[in-house]
Structures are given as C-alpha cells and as structure tokens.
C-alpha cells in the first residue's frame, strides 16, 4: 500500500517566530521555514489528551505519521526546496536573472561535477547557502524582520532592567507548503490529523501577543506541484545523490549522534560508500523546546538541510531500499530526515530549470499594469503635496535657468562695451538690487500681478525696479539690456499671474545674493580664486 | 496605567492666540529664514512637546525641581520614572470653530484653513540694531508667524494615585495655563506666543470602580466633543509676575517699518507710499464663526523692546559708573550681552569665556504686540536735494506713510521682579521715563523727529509695593 499524503497551503496571517537556537543571550536568528515539529505540537495541543496511549504513540512518536517542514512557495505557488549546498557561483558575478527573482542556470555550477575553465583560475567559487529554489529556478528568500522589545516595569512604568530582547520573525502574508505523511496502518489517525490541522493555527513563539496566526488550507491533488523535487528518469547505477530537504539526525552503531553520513547509518548496503569528495555538508545543533513540559529536550546534532550527500554504489538500489531512504535518521515524526533521491536538478554540473507548464502568477509581476489611484483623502493629500513639491522644483529650475541667462548676458555686456575680462563691470546690479527683488518677492508673494507690475513698471514706468537704473540698464547688445533678460523672458511671462512668480523671483534673487558666480562675473578674472567653487 | 496610579484626570483645553505665534520648524527655505511646524494637513499645530516643555519649566519655577521630577518624570542613570502627565498635539479650529483629527479634505474650501495653510501667512521683517542705531552685521532677518486669534484644542491626561499631593499637582498644572509666563513658540520675549484659555472641560475617573472604568473607556477622543467632560471655571493663576501699564501718545508721526500693504488709498496717479508701517490681519470670532479681519496697524513688541534694551543698558551703566574711558578706542557695544542688567531683564546669548560654548538666558520682560484700532494715518513726501545745484535729484522722490498722534498703552510684564536688584529697577524706571518724556523715539526715522511719544499718565504698577525702587531725587545724586 502506498503512503498517505496530504499537502496544506499555509498562509501566515501574522508574523511568526521560530528560533534557530535555544540560546537566551545574544542576537537570535529566526528560521525562514516552519519546522514540522511546530505542526506536531499544534496537533498535540489539540488532541493529545483525548487519545489513548497507543494512539498517541502512533500519531506523535512512532514516526508512522510524519509532519514535514513547511517550505515556502514561489510566486507561482510552486514548491521550493532549500538551495543545495553543491551549487556555487563565482564571487562577484551576477548569478540571478535580470529581475532577481530566479537563478541563472548558466552561472550556477557544482564544482564536484564541473570542469573548470582555464579562465576560472582567478575566479573564486562561492557556495550558495541561502534561500529556496523551485523547479523553474525561482529563488525564494522569505522575508524576515527583527523587532526589539522590552518589558515594562509595572511599578515604575519605565523599561525594566536587562529585559531587552529581539524577535526575528517571518513576515505575514507569505505562503508555505506543509505535507503530512503517514503509513497506511495509521490511516484513521491520519484522517483525524488532517481534519484538525485545517483552519486557523497558532504557531511559533509569542502566540498570544502579536505573533503566530496562520491559515491552513488543504490542497487538492495537482493544485500545487509535488512536494518532492523530480527524480532523474534514469538514475546512474553506481552513484546515489541525496539532497537533504530537512535536517538529518543520524546515529552511529553505538547510539551516539554522528555527523558523518556513512552509508550504513542510512541503511544502505555495506557495499555502498560515502563519497566525501563529491558531497557538501553543513551541520548545526539545537535543543528543541517542548511547550508541554516547558523544558528543553535533548540537544540534537544534525546535518543541515540543503546538504548534498553522494555515495558510490556497487549495484543499484532495490525499490524497497529506495523507499526506505525517503525518510531516514531520527525524529522523522518532526520532519527530520526528508531527502530527495537522485534529484534531476542535481544531475548535471549545471541545473536544468523547467519552464512552468501553466504559469499563473499569484501576484502581478509585470509592472505594465497601471495602478488605479484611489480617491481617498490620503491619496488627495499626497497628490497635493506632490504638486506643491513639483511647483517648488519648477521654481528652482526656472530660477537657475534665468540666472544662467543673466550670467551669459554679463559676458555679452563685456564684449559689447569692450570691457576687458580683468576689469570690474562697474554698473552691473549689486547686492542691494538683488535684495530689493527678494524683498518684493516676499511682500507680494500672494499677489503675482502686483509683483510683476512693480518689477517691470507697467503702471509707473519710470519707477520700474528692473528698469532704467540700478544696473539693470547695462547694455548687452544693440537695443538690449540686462533687465530685459528677466522682463522679456518668454517662460517667465507665463507665470505673471501665478503664485509661482514670487517663488521664481525670490529664488533668483537668492542665487544672486549667495552665488559667488555673480560676484566673479561682475568683478572680472583678476578677483577669481582659482580654487573657488561656484 | 499602572496599578499604583488608578485615577485618571482628563482635560480638554481650548487655547486662543492673543498675539501672532508659531513653532519654528528649525529651517527656512530659499526665500525666508523661518518656516513653521505644520500638521500633515499643512495647518499650523502646536506639538505636544512644546506644551510639555513650557509647562514643565513653569511648574519647576513655581513648585521646585523635585515636584517637577515627580510630575513630569526623569531619567538619571539607572533610575527613572515616566511622566504621569500626557500631552497631545493642539489642533487648529476651522472657521466653524471645530478642530478635527486626521486628514482634512476642506483645507482649500474653508476660508480660515485656506488662509492658515499658506506657508507664510504673516511675515515680519526684523533687524538687530547695534548701539549706534545701525543694523548689526547679518542682523537683518524675517520671521514667519500665524495670526493672532487662531484657536487650538488639546487633550491633557494625568495618572494620579489619589493622594492629596497628587491631586493638588493636577490643579497646580492646570492653573499654570493661565499664568503670565505661559507662552508658546518662538519669540515669546518679542511679543509672540501669548495665549489665553477659552474653555476648560475636565473629568476624573477612578479605574478601580466600574463607573470610572466605563467613563475612561468611553472618554472623548475628538477635540470637538466634550462628551463625558464638565466645564471648569477658569481660576486666576497665582504667579509672581508684576505688570506695568504706561499710557502714551505719539507727538506727531511714527512708523515701525517693514510693512507690506498701505493703509490709505492710492493717490490720483495710483501710487502707494514706498515706506509703510507694519500692519497685519487677525482672526476674529463672532458666534463661533471665524472671520479674517481687515489689516490694522501693529506695534511689534520687538520694536519697543529693542529701543528699551539699548536705553536700559545706557542707564544701567550710568548708574554703575561704567563709562567709556577717553583714551580707549570706542568699542562695539555688542557687549550688551555682557551687561548684567541686560542679562537679568532682557536675556542674552553669548559665548562662555571659559570654553567658548554658547550660554544663554531667557529674559523676564514680556510685552505683547499691540494692535491699533482705527489710528489716524498720514502721508509725507520726501525728496533729496542735490547739494551742487540746489535742485531736486531725479528719482529720489519718495513717500512715507505714518501713523499720526496715536494713543496707546504699553504693557510690560516682569516675571520674577524679586530677582532684579535696585540698579536694574532704577535703570528700568529711567528708561520708561525717557520714553514718557519723548527722549526715546520708537520706530523708524527717530533722528528726524518721528517716533516721539509722551506719557499721558503715570506708570501704573500692578503692585507698587513690590516695585519700590529708589525715588528720583536720590537717583540724581547717584549719577552725579
């Protein structure tokens, strides 16, 4: 009889926290997946008490029912697995696709199988350790964040001493694939477990305060891809490749934890031999916390998920041996020991990613879609602020444009009047004239028409500020003078009835007062400090 | 809430600005030196931190540092206590006299809000004059202000343990809202930032009782609603301040310059005067409706204070025998900030002689900007004579607008008069006498006959017994 299996899609409705280690001091790293033990614990808290001793043993301790780690789904709702540690890329080179959401198969290689090109002498391979990869090469990096928290002293209302701590959590909104497996003998309990594990679950730390809520939905067959990576169609007879999809806890012949994945510890025939040279292995240790006992359990020494173990075989494995290999080692009820046997993705030196057959992006990844802006008051406020800022930027740009034109006009004035570059332009407008313009721009900031009249003297021509005196009458050519650069500027004339006019003239005057360029142009080259910035 | 302090006091305070005011944003833009803090709607608001800071200092001055720490909290090394008083932002009222939380859609439709949302509703041009009456280096600046008459509402909360001391602290705190030292924003010693409390609604809930819990949970969160609160009559604050009123009348014309709009109609040729007195708009309220009043002339307190400060420094030095020695080069008198009398009355900012760090002290003399209803306005033409031809210089004709023979009452408040020594008091008396006798012109063109005021009555002190300075005859002897 075949094994029973049910997949669930887990959607995080709140942030969830799973500590990578049980240390109480120092920065805590959070896991980026949901360990199977979390689901085991969630089910146990619901129905352990109502089961008989034998049933409880069978469901939670025997390994006949296995709660696998929940791994993230990619943007197309396809399962992803921990990146195999055999994959490397050259340091400093881009190994991702152009939109950074997938891996570029041409840039990834397995050094054990890969023949190094001569040009690669100086390039340093770097192991990939983070993230999850799906069949199509999508690279999933679950989003996490760190929040610092403290306890408040109830008496004083201030932060309590030595109570600062941080939670490294997985962001809400992400989706994971959780698989529950069982031997056929445990069918009744399996059904019960499936029923209890559907719906709202509370997972991880700090479940009663801000964290932990998740929604578990049963997956129909074929809804999401197979929870295991595809196996090679025809596996090579003399090698066995294992890709650890979860941590692996092995015991040696003396019952001691071992980190050496010798063939016999996995139940492989004695003729099989661990090929250390072609394997990639990382290890970690942690103590799981048992919430029922409110205590830590025995420390586990495990070979990390993502490790790639290769074995040399004298003869191919029998189907029974292959089936037994699917879950090996200890604590299989908590999801440890899940392996992919001879996965297709690891068959070659470079991975061959599949194109998704019927891809339906769960979220719009194309940025062509035009986002309709709402009409909420927040949007309106932001839009009007944006317009005000645009207006300010426009005023700034116009002022700079006019200022540049005035500087050029000063050069033309020198040429027209034959004043050498080293001499001062005696009659050019000075600080007082700029100050008057700034003052007027401020006085008439609400009345642009009045401002323009005063500046140009449309009502009392003899008293125009920019008129026949104060340096603005400096001739720049036949029939043209400096003042006309402003009073006859086509773009500026468009603003004569707009509030923008005061901003433009005010900023222009500020440039005239503060910019060293004006001073330098007026005074001539003999006073220019060679190192001065404009 | 903590179990040790289960009593919650809640107050809804409505403030109205008596003078222009503003909380500076800490920066200006390209065209103006000062921008003001705004709420997300772009409307002026008074941050809770401003209220907390001002009231904390007033409380410390009135009741001592220990009481201040007990009420407002402190943090010293590992020891600390949070503040039991909680302040909220004061939000502005619209033209229907209603404050509103959150984003508003009507800032362009409501007349009052449209006026207040401008980045610079009022701009005052100011200048720092040195002892020679000329502008100090880089002493010209402008300030942006929100008009007088603007109303704000804010919530204040307080956790008490029910003991008599804790309950008294709450009453003391509310009383400070009416003290003469309660001024918010920038330029509080230059005429800005005076506020009055229009309404006070309070409530008290004991969270150990069901009614108290219910009342607390259902308390009003909107500044426009007094649900669950009862009106509290405002009590006169007991503070140590002393006020003097000096009635004056201008002998002829006077003008505090920097005005933007003429007060009289343009002449036949459509021209308005070049030099204008300062005038501003205010917000007025009738039957809970706001209206923006017509511009009226204003005597900025900063203009009076500047003149008084320089004359005061002169008298103070006279009384102390600090004269310039003939053989010394005439030194710049920016050393006004070094003059102890100035430091005590007007405040100062200076560099410490020891380490070059900036040290400062706020002054204790307060004056409000004075708005003048319906003064007589006059215009005067000036021209400039060419000294060679005896004729008029072309383009040098200008017109000045003046206020004419205006009566006004100058009000000065000293917050801690007991801290002033006799020499300060005498110097101040002499300064005010100079003003009343026309020896201290105010405003522009003092050297050509403008700004001369004379007293139309004696100085009235609110409590003359607290201001017994040496009589005039003895002063003459001392100065000889």
């Amino acid at each position: 009889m075949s094994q029973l299996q049910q997949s669930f899609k887990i959607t995080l409705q709140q942030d969830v926290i799973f500590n990578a280690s049980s240390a109480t001091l120092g920065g805590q790293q959070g896991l980026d997946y949901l360990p199977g033990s979390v689901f085991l614990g969630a089910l146990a808290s619901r129905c352990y008490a109502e089961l008989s001793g034998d049933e409880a043993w069978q469901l939670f301790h025997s390994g006949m029912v296995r709660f696998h780690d929940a791994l993230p789904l990619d943007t197309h709702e396809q399962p992803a697995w921990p990146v195999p540690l055999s994959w490397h890329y050259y340091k400093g080179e881009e190994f991702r696709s152009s939109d950074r959401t997938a891996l570029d198969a041409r840039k990834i290689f397995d050094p054990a199988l890969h023949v190094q090109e001569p040009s690669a002498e100086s390039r340093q391979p770097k192991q990939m350790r983070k993230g999850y990869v799906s069949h199509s090469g999508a690279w999933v990096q679950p989003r996490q964040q760190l929040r610092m928290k403290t306890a408040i002293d109830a008496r004083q209302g201030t932060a309590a001493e030595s109570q600062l701590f941080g939670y490294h959590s997985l962001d809400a909104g992400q989706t994971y694939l959780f698989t529950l497996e069982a031997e056929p003998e445990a069918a009744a309990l399996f059904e019960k477990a499936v029923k209890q594990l559907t719906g709202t679950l509370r997972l991880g730390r700090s479940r009663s305060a801000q964290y932990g809520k998740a929604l578990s939905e049963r997956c129909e067959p074929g809804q999401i891809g197979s929870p295991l990576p595809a196996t090679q169609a025809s596996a090579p007879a003399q090698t066995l490749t294992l890709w650890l999809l979860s941590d692996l806890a092995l015991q040696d012949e003396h019952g001691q934890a071992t980190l050496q994945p010798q063939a016999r510890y996995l139940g492989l025939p004695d003729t099989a031999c661990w090929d250390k040279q072609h394997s990639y292995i990382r290890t970690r240790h942690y103590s799981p916390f048992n919430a029922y006992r409110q205590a830590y359990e025995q420390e586990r020494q495990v070979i990390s998920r993502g490790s790639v173990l290769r074995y040399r075989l004298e003869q191919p494995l029998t189907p029974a041996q292959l089936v037994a290999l699917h879950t090996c080692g200890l604590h299989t009820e908590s999801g440890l020991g899940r392996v992919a046997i001879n996965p297709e993705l690891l068959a070659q030196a470079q991975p061959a990613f599949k194109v998704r057959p019927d891809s339906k992006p769960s979220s719009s990844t194309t940025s062509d879609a035009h986002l309709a802006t709402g009409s909420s008051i927040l949007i309106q406020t932001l839009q009007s602020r944006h317009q005000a800022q645009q207006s300010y930027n426009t005023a700034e740009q116009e002022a700079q444009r006019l200022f540049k034109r005035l500087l050029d006009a000063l050069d033309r004035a020198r040429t027209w009047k034959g004043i050498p570059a080293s001499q001062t332009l005696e009659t050019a407008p000075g600080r007082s004239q700029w100050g008057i313009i700034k003052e007027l721009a401020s006085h008439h900031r609400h009345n642009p028409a009045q401002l323009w009249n005063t500046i140009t003297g449309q009502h009392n021509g003899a008293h125009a500020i920019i008129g026949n005196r104060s340096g603005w009458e400096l001739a720049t050519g036949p029939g043209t003078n400096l003042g006309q650069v402003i009073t006859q500027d086509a773009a500026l004339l468009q603003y004569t009835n707009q509030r923008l006019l005061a901003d433009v003239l005010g900023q222009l005057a500020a440039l005239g007062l503060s910019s060293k360029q004006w001073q330098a142009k007026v005074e001539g080259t003999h006073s220019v400090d060679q190192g001065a910035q404009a | 809430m903590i179990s040790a302090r289960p009593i919650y006091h809640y107050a809804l305070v409505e403030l109205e600005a008596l003078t222009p005011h503003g909380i500076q944003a800490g920066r200006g833009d390209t065209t103006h030196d000062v921008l003001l803090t705004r709420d997300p709607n772009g409307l002026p608001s008074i941050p809770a931190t401003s209220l907390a800071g001002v009231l904390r200092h007033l409380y410390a001055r009135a009741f001592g540092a220990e009481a201040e720490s007990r009420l407002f909290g402190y943090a010293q090394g590992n020891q600390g206590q949070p503040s039991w008083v909680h302040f909220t932002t004061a939000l502005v009222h619209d033209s229907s006299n209603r404050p509103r939380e959150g984003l508003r859609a009507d800032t362009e439709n409501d007349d009052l809000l449209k006026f207040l949302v401008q980045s610079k509703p009022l701009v005052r041009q100011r200048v720092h004059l040195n002892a020679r009456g000329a502008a100090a280096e880089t002493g010209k600046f402008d300030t942006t202000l929100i008009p007088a008459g603007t109303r704000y509402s804010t919530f204040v909360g307080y956790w008490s343990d029910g003991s008599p001391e804790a309950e008294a602290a709450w009453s003391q705190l509310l009383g400070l809202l009416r003290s003469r030292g309660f001024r918010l924003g920038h330029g509080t010693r230059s005429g800005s930032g005076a506020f009055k409390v229009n309404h006070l609604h309070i409530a008290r809930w004991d969270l150990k009782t069901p009614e108290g819990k219910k009342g607390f949970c259902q308390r009003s969160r909107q500044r426009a609603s007094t649900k669950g609160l009862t009106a509290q009559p405002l009590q006169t604050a007991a503070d140590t301040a002393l006020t003097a009123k000096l009635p004056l009348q201008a002998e002829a014309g006077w003008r505090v310059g920097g005005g933007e709009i003429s007060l009289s109609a343009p002449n036949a040729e459509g021209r308005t005067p070049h030099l204008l007195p300062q005038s501003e708009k205010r917000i007025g309220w009738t039957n809970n409706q706001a209206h923006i009043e017509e511009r009226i002339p204003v005597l900025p307190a900063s203009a009076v204070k500047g003149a008084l400060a320089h004359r005061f420094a002169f008298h103070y030095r006279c009384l102390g025998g600090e004269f310039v020695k003939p053989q010394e080069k005439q030194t710049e008198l920016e050393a006004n900030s070094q003059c102890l009398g100035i430091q005590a009355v007007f405040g100062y900012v200076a560099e410490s002689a020891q380490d070059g760090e900036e040290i400062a002290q706020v002054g204790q003399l307060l004056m409000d900007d004075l708005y003048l209803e319906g003064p007589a306005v006059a215009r005067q033409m000036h021209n400039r004579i060419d000294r060679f031809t005896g004729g008029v210089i072309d383009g040098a004709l200008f017109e000045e607008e003046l206020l004419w023979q205006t009566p006004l009452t100058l009000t000065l408040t000293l917050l801690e008069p007991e801290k002033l020594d006799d020499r300060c008091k005498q110097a101040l008396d002499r300064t005010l006498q100079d003003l009343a006798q026309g020896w201290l012109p105010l405003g522009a063109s003092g050297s050509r006959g403008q700004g001369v005021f004379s007293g139309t009555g004696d100085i009235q002190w609110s409590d003359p017994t607290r201001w017994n300075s040496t009589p005039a005859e003895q002063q003459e002897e001392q100065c000889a």
Side-chain angles (χ1 to χ4, degrees), chain B residues 21-48:
Chain B
H21 58 282
I23 318 286
Q24 286 191 1
R27 61 181 180 93
D29 63 11
T30 333
T31 48
H32 292 89
D33 296 319
V34 168
L35 290 175
L36 302 174
T37 55
R38 303 280 176 158
D39 70 8
N41 292 303
L43 293 167
S45 68
I46 303 176

Side-chain angles (χ1 to χ4, degrees), chain A residues 153-158 161 377-381 385 392 396 438-439 441-446 450 459-460 463 469 499 502-503 505-507 510-511, chain B residues 2-4 29-33 39-41 78 80-82 84 103-105 118 120-123 125 140 142 258-261 271-272 274 395 397:
Chain A
D153 182 329
R155 242 176 353 103
Q156 297 286 7
T158 52
E161 189 86 11
I377 185 162
L378 175 62
I379 299 289
Q380 285 169 21
T381 307
R385 258 199 223 173
Y392 185 82
E396 206 175 13
K438 186 168 182 232
E439 194 96 346
S442 168
H443 283 184
H444 298 294
R445 62 191 178 278
H446 301 312
Q450 176 70 23
H459 286 326
N460 42 358
H463 295 278
R469 55 186 190 162
R499 290 241 175 129
D503 289 336
L505 290 176
Q507 297 210 31
L511 282 170
Chain B
I2 59 172
S3 49
D29 63 11
T30 333
T31 48
H32 292 89
D33 296 319
D39 70 8
N41 292 303
N78 287 339
Q81 178 214 300
W84 303 127
L103 289 176
R104 302 185 73 132
Q118 292 168 15
K120 296 142 195 171
L122 299 183
V123 172
Q125 303 295 335
K140 163 75 180 58
D142 56 60
E260 297 174 349
I261 308 284
R271 293 201 196 130
T272 52
H274 303 86
L397 184 75

Side-chain angles (χ1 to χ4, degrees), chain A residues 341-508:
Chain A
I341 304 170
N342 292 325
E344 207 175 325
L345 275 175
L346 301 185
Q348 310 292 336
Q350 289 184 306
F353 296 126
K354 289 195 173 81
V355 175
R356 288 172 298 280
D358 46 2
S359 54
K360 180 180 70 74
S362 57
S363 58
S364 71
T365 47
T366 57
S367 52
D368 295 346
H370 175 66
L371 290 174
T373 52
S375 61
S376 74
I377 185 162
L378 175 62
I379 299 289
Q380 285 169 21
T381 307
L382 292 173
Q383 279 173 341
S384 64
R385 258 199 223 173
H386 181 65
Q387 275 163 11
Q389 184 61 36
Q390 292 289 87
S391 170
Y392 185 82
N393 292 346
T394 307
E396 206 175 13
Q397 283 164 13
E398 287 295 299
Q400 281 173 356
R401 182 186 62 81
L402 275 171
F403 189 63
K404 182 150 187 326
R405 285 193 64 204
L406 285 168
L407 290 174
D408 292 341
L410 283 180
D411 287 335
R412 291 201 301 277
R414 279 187 186 278
T415 312
W416 176 247
K417 294 177 89 81
I419 299 175
S422 55
Q423 270 190 23
T424 305
L425 279 172
E426 296 290 346
T427 50
R431 289 183 63 83
S432 292
Q433 283 68 46
W434 284 121
I436 290 172
I437 295 185
K438 186 168 182 232
E439 194 96 346
L440 287 170
S442 168
H443 283 184
H444 298 294
R445 62 191 178 278
H446 301 312
N447 193 345
Q450 176 70 23
L451 174 60
W452 190 247
N453 292 342
T454 313
I455 294 278
T456 57
Q458 282 188 5
H459 286 326
N460 42 358
H463 295 278
I465 296 301
I466 298 184
N468 296 330
R469 55 186 190 162
S470 304
W472 294 109
E473 78 282 9
L474 180 65
T476 55
T480 59
N481 64 32
L482 196 64
Q484 287 168 355
V485 172
I486 297 177
T487 58
Q488 292 177 8
D489 182 84
L492 195 63
L493 286 169
Q494 294 170 24
Y495 303 128
T496 52
N497 280 324
Q498 297 178 32
R499 290 241 175 129
L500 196 58
L501 180 69
D503 289 336
V504 175
L505 290 176
Q507 297 210 31
L508 178 65

